[in-house]
Amino acid sequence: MIEAGIFYLFATVLVGAAVGVISSRNPVHAALFLVLAFVTSAVLWILLEAEFLGIVLVLVYVGAVMVLFLFVVMMLNVNIEKMRVGFTRYAPLGIIVALAVAAEIGYVIWTRRGQLPEKQPLPADNYSNTEALGAVLYTDYVYAFELAAIILLVAIVAAIALTMRQRAGVKAQDISAQVATRRQDRVRLVSMDSEPRQ
Amino acid sequence: MIDWLRSLFSFLPPMLAELATIVASIMIVLVPLILCVAYTTYAERRVIGFMQSRLGPNRVGPFGLFQPFADVLKLMIKEIVVPQNANRFLFLVAPLLSLIPAFAAWAVIPLTPEFVLSGIDAGLLYVLALTSFGVYGVILAGWATNSKYAFLGAMRSAAQIVAYEIAMGFALVGVLMAGGSLNLQEIIQAQSGSVLHWFWLPLFPLFLVYFIAGVAETNRAPFDVAEGESEIVAGFHVEYGGMAFALFFLAEYANMILISVLVATLFLGGWLSPFQGIPVLGDTLLGASGFIWLALKSAIFLFCFLWFRATFPRYRYDQIMRLGWKVFIPITIVWLAVEGVLVALDVGPWFN
């Protein structure tokens, strides 16, 4: 009973936040609605006892991706007028796509309505889905998993290589040179005769 | 402790009794925590006063011990001024967003061998997720204020926290590899034996990186460029006053205590006694594990926070970025590789 209540509460918030993402006029508000959507969907996953996925969703998307997103959105002065021009033109297409996706989901559920299990049996008390996920990822799917990691690494290297540029005349500090300086390079002791009294 | 509370509330209907037990055990953690935060501010002023040959607050009550309450009272009766062009809702929500994660992270921290609010399996991940949440308070405060100084502070803080969070995450991966679990209670148990069994020894570089990154993550000196009072007035909270400012202040000190407790838990064996395993002392009261050891170990790191503030000059911003990206991340990655070899070879009492 309580679980259903929590589910409907957070599901409502999730849908509301998702609508907010596309309908709010301020891009920073839209990004914040997206954060709210991520957090509420994490709550729904935790409700399904998938706590690893829920926490990782918050950690990766809310903690890292959306922070950078907000950072960029706040830095750029996004022209709101320009963004709103396309809205009505693309709205019919968006509605068609949304209806198509909803129809597909409905069709799948309709054709399998007899086969859906009423309620998944609860796993044993000492069951840890973090462990279960790791056991699958590093055995059965280890090649796919490592391949995904390599692709991400290549993407990082490519992003850096594309944006890296060497400019002449940059007066950046060479910190290793600064650290490596010795007294002899900087200070010179000169011995000279004292000047005669006038 | 939780069983005792449960028996205390057994006269209520079962569902209400469960709720009352949960709320009461949260209170048992939170109320002393808030008192600790209050007295950390007092300790900071006294300790820094001592280091700078001053007295510090000594007027309110004996030795100035009631000073935190006087401060809270003063801040509570001050008016909260919302700037005219500020985003009112986000301006007022931002302090809450920085305070709530600092408190919520305590749910998975084991305080004694038996007492932990929620012993979930993904405890370490939960802590990482919640500490990464705290940056929203700072960013939103800076943006909602609609002031250049506040915005600069927020941007600095966002870039800094993202940079140091990666190093912190890698350091936690090291702990996870050594402890063999994400559950904080099991990580502490994996360190039991003696002082030499604690993870500070095999993970020494990660230990240092984690603590320094923790100082940076809490925006404390010498990494406090988000405030930078000599450059951008007070950074992200320049327009905040009264209780709204007090919440930021509370969050900063709560985060300091949280980082100290986490370092003590992950690298210094949490509630394990340092005299464990010593033949004579090991059987006496000193050898017993308990909350007191966690408190003492955390107090050492909390003192370091104050010490750093009194003695180090503020880092320059580009130096902070260099330290985070070019020094800490390579150190942690190299040490993870070393640790992988050590785990594969079953070295010492730590990795088997």
Side-chain angles (χ1 to χ4, degrees), chain B residues 175-210:
Chain B
V175 173
L176 156 67
M177 282 164 70
S181 171
L182 280 168
N183 186 317
L184 289 169
Q185 204 73 282
E186 282 173 30
I187 287 174
I188 293 175
Q189 268 147 16
Q191 302 179 55
S192 67
S194 70
V195 176
L196 298 177
H197 286 68
W198 297 352
F199 289 153
W200 66 272
L201 191 60
L203 306 179
F204 193 69
L206 300 183
F207 168 50
L208 289 186
V209 166
Y210 188 80

mmCIF file of all heavy atoms in Angstrom, chain B residues 175-210:
data_model
loop_
_atom_site.group_PDB
_atom_site.id
_atom_site.type_symbol
_atom_site.label_atom_id
_atom_site.label_comp_id
_atom_site.label_asym_id
_atom_site.label_seq_id
_atom_site.Cartn_x
_atom_site.Cartn_y
_atom_site.Cartn_z
ATOM 1 N N VAL B 175 39.826 1.912 -2.098
ATOM 2 C CA VAL B 175 39.298 1.365 -0.851
ATOM 3 C C VAL B 175 38.411 0.158 -1.127
ATOM 4 O O VAL B 175 38.471 -0.864 -0.438
ATOM 5 C CB VAL B 175 38.506 2.445 -0.088
ATOM 6 C CG1 VAL B 175 37.815 1.862 1.114
ATOM 7 C CG2 VAL B 175 39.405 3.571 0.314
ATOM 8 N N LEU B 176 37.606 0.288 -2.189
ATOM 9 C CA LEU B 176 36.685 -0.794 -2.546
ATOM 10 C C LEU B 176 37.454 -2.055 -2.937
ATOM 11 O O LEU B 176 37.099 -3.169 -2.546
ATOM 12 C CB LEU B 176 35.810 -0.292 -3.685
ATOM 13 C CG LEU B 176 35.148 -1.245 -4.648
ATOM 14 C CD1 LEU B 176 34.118 -2.052 -3.924
ATOM 15 C CD2 LEU B 176 34.489 -0.451 -5.749
ATOM 16 N N MET B 177 38.575 -1.869 -3.681
ATOM 17 C CA MET B 177 39.378 -3.029 -4.062
ATOM 18 C C MET B 177 40.010 -3.688 -2.840
ATOM 19 O O MET B 177 40.091 -4.921 -2.747
ATOM 20 C CB MET B 177 40.485 -2.613 -5.041
ATOM 21 C CG MET B 177 40.001 -2.415 -6.454
ATOM 22 S SD MET B 177 41.195 -1.520 -7.438
ATOM 23 C CE MET B 177 42.500 -2.728 -7.605
ATOM 24 N N ALA B 178 40.472 -2.872 -1.890
ATOM 25 C CA ALA B 178 41.122 -3.436 -0.709
ATOM 26 C C ALA B 178 40.091 -4.069 0.218
ATOM 27 O O ALA B 178 40.329 -5.134 0.794
ATOM 28 C CB ALA B 178 41.900 -2.348 0.018
ATOM 29 N N GLY B 179 38.933 -3.403 0.376
ATOM 30 C CA GLY B 179 37.931 -3.893 1.310
ATOM 31 C C GLY B 179 37.079 -5.015 0.744
ATOM 32 O O GLY B 179 36.490 -5.786 1.486
ATOM 33 N N GLY B 180 36.992 -5.100 -0.569
ATOM 34 C CA GLY B 180 36.207 -6.145 -1.205
ATOM 35 C C GLY B 180 34.719 -5.964 -1.040
ATOM 36 O O GLY B 180 33.956 -6.908 -1.229
ATOM 37 N N SER B 181 34.278 -4.761 -0.697
ATOM 38 C CA SER B 181 32.840 -4.538 -0.527
ATOM 39 C C SER B 181 32.540 -3.062 -0.643
ATOM 40 O O SER B 181 33.419 -2.220 -0.463
ATOM 41 C CB SER B 181 32.394 -5.049 0.836
ATOM 42 O OG SER B 181 31.068 -4.647 1.078
ATOM 43 N N LEU B 182 31.280 -2.755 -0.973
ATOM 44 C CA LEU B 182 30.849 -1.360 -0.981
ATOM 45 C C LEU B 182 30.177 -0.994 0.335
ATOM 46 O O LEU B 182 29.850 0.161 0.563
ATOM 47 C CB LEU B 182 29.865 -1.120 -2.123
ATOM 48 C CG LEU B 182 30.442 -0.927 -3.518
ATOM 49 C CD1 LEU B 182 29.344 -0.998 -4.545
ATOM 50 C CD2 LEU B 182 31.129 0.410 -3.620
ATOM 51 N N ASN B 183 29.958 -1.998 1.190
ATOM 52 C CA ASN B 183 29.297 -1.762 2.464
ATOM 53 C C ASN B 183 30.323 -1.230 3.464
ATOM 54 O O ASN B 183 31.358 -1.855 3.696
ATOM 55 C CB ASN B 183 28.710 -3.083 2.955
ATOM 56 C CG ASN B 183 27.894 -2.913 4.196
ATOM 57 O OD1 ASN B 183 28.292 -2.201 5.101
ATOM 58 N ND2 ASN B 183 26.752 -3.554 4.243
ATOM 59 N N LEU B 184 30.055 -0.055 4.055
ATOM 60 C CA LEU B 184 31.060 0.574 4.915
ATOM 61 C C LEU B 184 31.393 -0.291 6.134
ATOM 62 O O LEU B 184 32.543 -0.336 6.576
ATOM 63 C CB LEU B 184 30.571 1.952 5.354
ATOM 64 C CG LEU B 184 30.558 2.995 4.241
ATOM 65 C CD1 LEU B 184 29.817 4.229 4.665
ATOM 66 C CD2 LEU B 184 31.969 3.354 3.856
ATOM 67 N N GLN B 185 30.390 -0.968 6.675
ATOM 68 C CA GLN B 185 30.644 -1.827 7.837
ATOM 69 C C GLN B 185 31.632 -2.941 7.477
ATOM 70 O O GLN B 185 32.567 -3.228 8.227
ATOM 71 C CB GLN B 185 29.295 -2.422 8.294
ATOM 72 C CG GLN B 185 29.205 -2.854 9.727
ATOM 73 C CD GLN B 185 29.131 -1.706 10.705
ATOM 74 O OE1 GLN B 185 30.133 -1.085 10.998
ATOM 75 N NE2 GLN B 185 27.953 -1.422 11.217
ATOM 76 N N GLU B 186 31.473 -3.520 6.280
ATOM 77 C CA GLU B 186 32.390 -4.583 5.864
ATOM 78 C C GLU B 186 33.771 -4.034 5.554
ATOM 79 O O GLU B 186 34.778 -4.715 5.771
ATOM 80 C CB GLU B 186 31.818 -5.312 4.634
ATOM 81 C CG GLU B 186 30.724 -6.283 5.009
ATOM 82 C CD GLU B 186 30.037 -6.879 3.789
ATOM 83 O OE1 GLU B 186 30.702 -7.004 2.752
ATOM 84 O OE2 GLU B 186 28.842 -7.177 3.898
ATOM 85 N N ILE B 187 33.835 -2.804 5.065
ATOM 86 C CA ILE B 187 35.148 -2.191 4.798
ATOM 87 C C ILE B 187 35.907 -2.022 6.112
ATOM 88 O O ILE B 187 37.115 -2.283 6.190
ATOM 89 C CB ILE B 187 34.965 -0.828 4.096
ATOM 90 C CG1 ILE B 187 34.520 -1.057 2.657
ATOM 91 C CG2 ILE B 187 36.250 -0.022 4.118
ATOM 92 C CD1 ILE B 187 34.169 0.190 1.911
ATOM 93 N N ILE B 188 35.201 -1.611 7.172
ATOM 94 C CA ILE B 188 35.862 -1.467 8.473
ATOM 95 C C ILE B 188 36.312 -2.825 8.977
ATOM 96 O O ILE B 188 37.438 -2.987 9.461
ATOM 97 C CB ILE B 188 34.914 -0.795 9.480
ATOM 98 C CG1 ILE B 188 34.646 0.638 9.060
ATOM 99 C CG2 ILE B 188 35.504 -0.824 10.875
ATOM 100 C CD1 ILE B 188 33.649 1.345 9.904
ATOM 101 N N GLN B 189 35.439 -3.837 8.841
ATOM 102 C CA GLN B 189 35.819 -5.164 9.332
ATOM 103 C C GLN B 189 37.035 -5.706 8.584
ATOM 104 O O GLN B 189 37.865 -6.407 9.159
ATOM 105 C CB GLN B 189 34.641 -6.122 9.201
ATOM 106 C CG GLN B 189 33.803 -6.142 10.470
ATOM 107 C CD GLN B 189 32.343 -6.377 10.191
ATOM 108 O OE1 GLN B 189 31.983 -6.820 9.103
ATOM 109 N NE2 GLN B 189 31.503 -6.086 11.167
ATOM 110 N N ALA B 190 37.167 -5.339 7.300
ATOM 111 C CA ALA B 190 38.317 -5.813 6.530
ATOM 112 C C ALA B 190 39.621 -5.211 7.050
ATOM 113 O O ALA B 190 40.695 -5.723 6.752
ATOM 114 C CB ALA B 190 38.132 -5.449 5.054
ATOM 115 N N GLN B 191 39.530 -4.127 7.831
ATOM 116 C CA GLN B 191 40.747 -3.491 8.341
ATOM 117 C C GLN B 191 41.122 -3.985 9.723
ATOM 118 O O GLN B 191 42.110 -3.531 10.301
ATOM 119 C CB GLN B 191 40.559 -1.966 8.395
ATOM 120 C CG GLN B 191 40.216 -1.353 7.067
ATOM 121 C CD GLN B 191 40.020 0.140 7.157
ATOM 122 O OE1 GLN B 191 40.880 0.860 7.627
ATOM 123 N NE2 GLN B 191 38.884 0.622 6.702
ATOM 124 N N SER B 192 40.351 -4.889 10.300
ATOM 125 C CA SER B 192 40.597 -5.252 11.691
ATOM 126 C C SER B 192 41.871 -6.077 11.809
ATOM 127 O O SER B 192 42.286 -6.765 10.878
ATOM 128 C CB SER B 192 39.411 -6.018 12.257
ATOM 129 O OG SER B 192 39.311 -7.247 11.611
ATOM 130 N N GLY B 193 42.489 -5.991 12.959
ATOM 131 C CA GLY B 193 43.761 -6.655 13.211
ATOM 132 C C GLY B 193 44.606 -5.763 14.097
ATOM 133 O O GLY B 193 44.605 -5.908 15.305
ATOM 134 N N SER B 194 45.264 -4.807 13.497
ATOM 135 C CA SER B 194 46.032 -3.841 14.279
ATOM 136 C C SER B 194 46.130 -2.559 13.467
ATOM 137 O O SER B 194 45.550 -2.452 12.396
ATOM 138 C CB SER B 194 47.428 -4.393 14.568
ATOM 139 O OG SER B 194 48.155 -4.426 13.363
ATOM 140 N N VAL B 195 46.886 -1.598 14.018
ATOM 141 C CA VAL B 195 47.028 -0.328 13.306
ATOM 142 C C VAL B 195 47.604 -0.569 11.912
ATOM 143 O O VAL B 195 47.256 0.125 10.951
ATOM 144 C CB VAL B 195 47.939 0.621 14.114
ATOM 145 C CG1 VAL B 195 48.184 1.900 13.358
ATOM 146 C CG2 VAL B 195 47.313 0.917 15.453
ATOM 147 N N LEU B 196 48.469 -1.567 11.802
ATOM 148 C CA LEU B 196 49.113 -1.828 10.510
ATOM 149 C C LEU B 196 48.175 -2.510 9.517
ATOM 150 O O LEU B 196 48.503 -2.607 8.337
ATOM 151 C CB LEU B 196 50.368 -2.687 10.715
ATOM 152 C CG LEU B 196 51.439 -2.022 11.569
ATOM 153 C CD1 LEU B 196 52.600 -2.942 11.780
ATOM 154 C CD2 LEU B 196 51.907 -0.729 10.916
ATOM 155 N N HIS B 197 47.025 -2.978 10.002
ATOM 156 C CA HIS B 197 46.067 -3.582 9.087
ATOM 157 C C HIS B 197 45.165 -2.544 8.441
ATOM 158 O O HIS B 197 44.452 -2.852 7.506
ATOM 159 C CB HIS B 197 45.182 -4.604 9.812
ATOM 160 C CG HIS B 197 45.889 -5.877 10.144
ATOM 161 N ND1 HIS B 197 46.890 -5.921 11.077
ATOM 162 C CD2 HIS B 197 45.747 -7.120 9.662
ATOM 163 C CE1 HIS B 197 47.319 -7.173 11.161
ATOM 164 N NE2 HIS B 197 46.652 -7.922 10.312
ATOM 165 N N TRP B 198 45.141 -1.337 9.011
ATOM 166 C CA TRP B 198 44.271 -0.299 8.446
ATOM 167 C C TRP B 198 44.757 0.057 7.061
ATOM 168 O O TRP B 198 45.938 -0.106 6.722
ATOM 169 C CB TRP B 198 44.286 0.947 9.336
ATOM 170 C CG TRP B 198 43.731 0.695 10.703
ATOM 171 C CD1 TRP B 198 43.106 -0.427 11.139
ATOM 172 C CD2 TRP B 198 43.798 1.589 11.813
ATOM 173 N NE1 TRP B 198 42.753 -0.279 12.444
ATOM 174 C CE2 TRP B 198 43.163 0.941 12.889
ATOM 175 C CE3 TRP B 198 44.305 2.877 11.987
ATOM 176 C CZ2 TRP B 198 43.043 1.545 14.130
ATOM 177 C CZ3 TRP B 198 44.180 3.479 13.216
ATOM 178 C CH2 TRP B 198 43.548 2.812 14.286
ATOM 179 N N PHE B 199 43.838 0.631 6.249
ATOM 180 C CA PHE B 199 44.167 0.859 4.842
ATOM 181 C C PHE B 199 45.075 2.052 4.609
ATOM 182 O O PHE B 199 45.501 2.291 3.487
ATOM 183 C CB PHE B 199 42.880 1.026 4.027
ATOM 184 C CG PHE B 199 42.114 -0.249 3.865
ATOM 185 C CD1 PHE B 199 40.750 -0.230 3.686
ATOM 186 C CD2 PHE B 199 42.769 -1.467 3.889
ATOM 187 C CE1 PHE B 199 40.046 -1.394 3.534
ATOM 188 C CE2 PHE B 199 42.068 -2.639 3.742
ATOM 189 C CZ PHE B 199 40.711 -2.605 3.570
ATOM 190 N N TRP B 200 45.377 2.845 5.642
ATOM 191 C CA TRP B 200 46.229 4.013 5.382
ATOM 192 C C TRP B 200 47.594 3.575 4.901
ATOM 193 O O TRP B 200 48.238 4.260 4.112
ATOM 194 C CB TRP B 200 46.366 4.894 6.630
ATOM 195 C CG TRP B 200 47.103 4.241 7.764
ATOM 196 C CD1 TRP B 200 46.551 3.463 8.728
ATOM 197 C CD2 TRP B 200 48.499 4.280 8.032
ATOM 198 N NE1 TRP B 200 47.519 3.021 9.578
ATOM 199 C CE2 TRP B 200 48.734 3.518 9.176
ATOM 200 C CE3 TRP B 200 49.590 4.915 7.414
ATOM 201 C CZ2 TRP B 200 49.995 3.342 9.730
ATOM 202 C CZ3 TRP B 200 50.842 4.742 7.963
ATOM 203 C CH2 TRP B 200 51.040 3.958 9.102
ATOM 204 N N LEU B 201 48.055 2.390 5.328
ATOM 205 C CA LEU B 201 49.400 1.951 4.987
ATOM 206 C C LEU B 201 49.492 1.460 3.536
ATOM 207 O O LEU B 201 50.274 2.018 2.765
ATOM 208 C CB LEU B 201 49.845 0.874 5.977
ATOM 209 C CG LEU B 201 51.311 0.508 5.906
ATOM 210 C CD1 LEU B 201 52.174 1.719 6.176
ATOM 211 C CD2 LEU B 201 51.620 -0.566 6.927
ATOM 212 N N PRO B 202 48.662 0.488 3.122
ATOM 213 C CA PRO B 202 48.791 0.052 1.729
ATOM 214 C C PRO B 202 48.268 1.081 0.727
ATOM 215 O O PRO B 202 48.673 1.074 -0.418
ATOM 216 C CB PRO B 202 47.950 -1.224 1.668
ATOM 217 C CG PRO B 202 46.967 -1.061 2.745
ATOM 218 C CD PRO B 202 47.671 -0.336 3.846
ATOM 219 N N LEU B 203 47.361 1.962 1.176
ATOM 220 C CA LEU B 203 46.766 2.928 0.253
ATOM 221 C C LEU B 203 47.241 4.337 0.568
ATOM 222 O O LEU B 203 46.482 5.290 0.429
ATOM 223 C CB LEU B 203 45.235 2.875 0.338
ATOM 224 C CG LEU B 203 44.567 1.514 0.151
ATOM 225 C CD1 LEU B 203 43.075 1.645 0.300
ATOM 226 C CD2 LEU B 203 44.909 0.954 -1.208
ATOM 227 N N PHE B 204 48.489 4.462 1.023
ATOM 228 C CA PHE B 204 48.923 5.769 1.533
ATOM 229 C C PHE B 204 48.717 6.917 0.535
ATOM 230 O O PHE B 204 48.193 7.961 0.922
ATOM 231 C CB PHE B 204 50.383 5.695 1.995
ATOM 232 C CG PHE B 204 50.784 6.883 2.802
ATOM 233 C CD1 PHE B 204 50.251 7.085 4.068
ATOM 234 C CD2 PHE B 204 51.657 7.825 2.293
ATOM 235 C CE1 PHE B 204 50.598 8.190 4.812
ATOM 236 C CE2 PHE B 204 52.001 8.940 3.043
ATOM 237 C CZ PHE B 204 51.479 9.123 4.298
ATOM 238 N N PRO B 205 49.088 6.759 -0.755
ATOM 239 C CA PRO B 205 48.854 7.875 -1.687
ATOM 240 C C PRO B 205 47.370 8.208 -1.813
ATOM 241 O O PRO B 205 47.003 9.385 -1.855
ATOM 242 C CB PRO B 205 49.407 7.357 -3.011
ATOM 243 C CG PRO B 205 50.282 6.232 -2.660
ATOM 244 C CD PRO B 205 49.744 5.627 -1.422
ATOM 245 N N LEU B 206 46.527 7.160 -1.840
ATOM 246 C CA LEU B 206 45.085 7.411 -1.974
ATOM 247 C C LEU B 206 44.546 8.115 -0.737
ATOM 248 O O LEU B 206 43.662 8.966 -0.816
ATOM 249 C CB LEU B 206 44.341 6.101 -2.198
ATOM 250 C CG LEU B 206 44.733 5.316 -3.433
ATOM 251 C CD1 LEU B 206 43.859 4.092 -3.563
ATOM 252 C CD2 LEU B 206 44.618 6.175 -4.661
ATOM 253 N N PHE B 207 45.081 7.739 0.423
ATOM 254 C CA PHE B 207 44.684 8.364 1.688
ATOM 255 C C PHE B 207 44.946 9.868 1.633
ATOM 256 O O PHE B 207 44.046 10.677 1.917
ATOM 257 C CB PHE B 207 45.484 7.681 2.803
ATOM 258 C CG PHE B 207 45.460 8.348 4.149
ATOM 259 C CD1 PHE B 207 44.280 8.732 4.734
ATOM 260 C CD2 PHE B 207 46.645 8.559 4.832
ATOM 261 C CE1 PHE B 207 44.270 9.333 5.983
ATOM 262 C CE2 PHE B 207 46.640 9.159 6.074
ATOM 263 C CZ PHE B 207 45.458 9.553 6.645
ATOM 264 N N LEU B 208 46.159 10.246 1.215
ATOM 265 C CA LEU B 208 46.490 11.672 1.137
ATOM 266 C C LEU B 208 45.621 12.366 0.090
ATOM 267 O O LEU B 208 45.062 13.432 0.345
ATOM 268 C CB LEU B 208 47.963 11.857 0.782
ATOM 269 C CG LEU B 208 48.952 11.490 1.885
ATOM 270 C CD1 LEU B 208 50.353 11.855 1.441
ATOM 271 C CD2 LEU B 208 48.608 12.219 3.169
ATOM 272 N N VAL B 209 45.487 11.736 -1.082
ATOM 273 C CA VAL B 209 44.695 12.352 -2.148
ATOM 274 C C VAL B 209 43.258 12.536 -1.691
ATOM 275 O O VAL B 209 42.661 13.590 -1.888
ATOM 276 C CB VAL B 209 44.742 11.495 -3.430
ATOM 277 C CG1 VAL B 209 43.675 11.925 -4.405
ATOM 278 C CG2 VAL B 209 46.105 11.593 -4.073
ATOM 279 N N TYR B 210 42.712 11.515 -1.019
ATOM 280 C CA TYR B 210 41.317 11.608 -0.595
ATOM 281 C C TYR B 210 41.121 12.753 0.388
ATOM 282 O O TYR B 210 40.172 13.522 0.285
ATOM 283 C CB TYR B 210 40.843 10.296 0.027
ATOM 284 C CG TYR B 210 39.365 10.279 0.295
ATOM 285 C CD1 TYR B 210 38.481 10.024 -0.724
ATOM 286 C CD2 TYR B 210 38.858 10.561 1.552
ATOM 287 C CE1 TYR B 210 37.125 10.047 -0.509
ATOM 288 C CE2 TYR B 210 37.504 10.589 1.777
ATOM 289 C CZ TYR B 210 36.643 10.325 0.741
ATOM 290 O OH TYR B 210 35.308 10.359 0.954
#
